[in-house]
Amino acid sequence: MDSPASSAYARPLPSISAIPFRHGRSGMAVPLLAEAEQERLATIGTRVHFSAGSVIHHQGDEADCIHNLLSGVVKSCAVSYDGSERVTAFHFATDLIGLAENDVYVDTTVALEPVDAFRLPLAALEALLMRDAEMEMHFLCKVCHELREEQRHAILLARRSARTKIVLFLHLLQTRGCLERGNDAEIRLPMKRRDIANYTGLTVETVSRALQGLKAEGILGVENPHSVSIADPARFAQLVRATANS
Amino acid sequence: MDSPASSAYARPLPSISAIPFRHGRSGMAVPLLAEAEQERLATIGTRVHFSAGSVIHHQGDEADCIHNLLSGVVKSCAVSYDGSERVTAFHFATDLIGLAENDVYVDTTVALEPVDAFRLPLAALEALLMRDAEMEMHFLCKVCHELREEQRHAILLARRSARTKIVLFLHLLQTRGCLERGNDAEIRLPMKRRDIANYTGLTVETVSRALQGLKAEGILGVENPHSVSIADPARFAQLVRATANS
DNA sequence: CGCCTTATTGACTTTAGTCAAGGTAAGTGG
DNA sequence: CCACTTACCTTGACTAAAGTCAATAAGGCG
């Protein structure tokens, strides 16, 4: 068991996790990079820190780097010109952020809490991948993983019931390890209700009503806005099974 | 190595298009593979044909290959326990299909019309990419492109108005070149209303009503179920601008 | 030609969105 | 340290819009 001091530190090296395209064993996401690869990747990048609320990449800015998250939660969102915001994804440790198109970032990425990350300049990364096909394969695998995640997001959005969307959203946080320290029945919600609404395609009012409805039925505990507890794990799991596809 | 000028017709080659991550010029999707790369890719694959309605990959089957589409339209869909189907994407020429996770396909892919494709065995492809970092970079770029496309799908799904979803869907087909021969104001709809419903998160009735509503306002012509014409291009373009994000 | 699938249309219901108000938590400055 | 201020969350009443159920019409295919 880690000491409180050491667990407070983020991983010192870049790390990328994904469910493999092939040769899968566990069915779970696994670290893709060998230690030597982590070291190699570290040589072209730098450790950086972002405080809660700070913008990591800005939509439309010239893309010169991506970030590999070490700790903390990040949202990426696209803003329409009418001002409405769509949250396209939440990102956690071992994720890559900074997707670009035609040299500009397609999303704004915002730290929802203090974030540690590895900054990887695109020019150096591209050069590294061109001479290290194995490393490049790991990046390919990771992007395939993100594509599948975005498909699951689309499946969530296609659901009609607000309750179902919220259950699937909470399950997402659960599987991404967004839990309170030392209590895996307590899901942390580092994002605001508005972010949940923009991710699930609902309004904040409906998000609130769905959460309170699940609380009223004794499935969830909602003591404060920043976390929910699974009060009835069996029924919660049943709801997830009933609504999850595949 | 060198092929006669006529062989482009006699023996079509694999082709992959995407909007580049970096070094973008036009803002449009461009072919990524040089002719020599197409030839190299062709050596590990075989030309295959699928008739309309045939299944190319089956969800849950062991993944042993992917396909690069040469012509025709393909849907990929995931089926839930309860039998309901979600269309995760439509695919066109120059796309790659056959996304897997833990060695099994995550979607069922179905030819919506006669399809020509290049079949690429995964083992050979993986070996090729591991010794050809440039080719691998093109695949990485393509998967990033598909990730952005799936984000756009998610943004479509997050819209509340049925009309908006249908307009964005038609615009998608327009930009993917799903047009009637020699008439770029006539959009082909090779999929059924049910597929459109499963892609947009609506019901078939609502899809029908949205299309008929746009027809009643003189924006679209809907002469038969398999195609729509843009009756008022200016107003249609205005609707797209008003609803498209970014 | 007739059967079966697909598409459209109508009447009604359900559900989430909207508008409005009240409550709670967090952060600020005296 | 506490009152103040603000942003965030929740709740309620009402509305709008899509879903559901049911019937009809149009296509496609043997």
Side-chain angles (χ1 to χ4, degrees), chain B residues 118-131:
Chain B
F118 238 93
R119 182 183 190 278
L120 299 167
L122 274 181
L125 178 62
E126 194 173 346
L128 172 61
L129 296 184
M130 285 297 278
R131 64 174 188 267

Side-chain angles (χ1 to χ4, degrees), chain A residues 87-106:
Chain A
V87 174
T88 53
F90 293 105
H91 300 281
F92 306 89
T94 76
D95 280 349
L96 298 171
I97 61 170
L99 188 66
E101 179 176 89
N102 276 313
D103 285 293
V104 300
Y105 295 116
V106 295

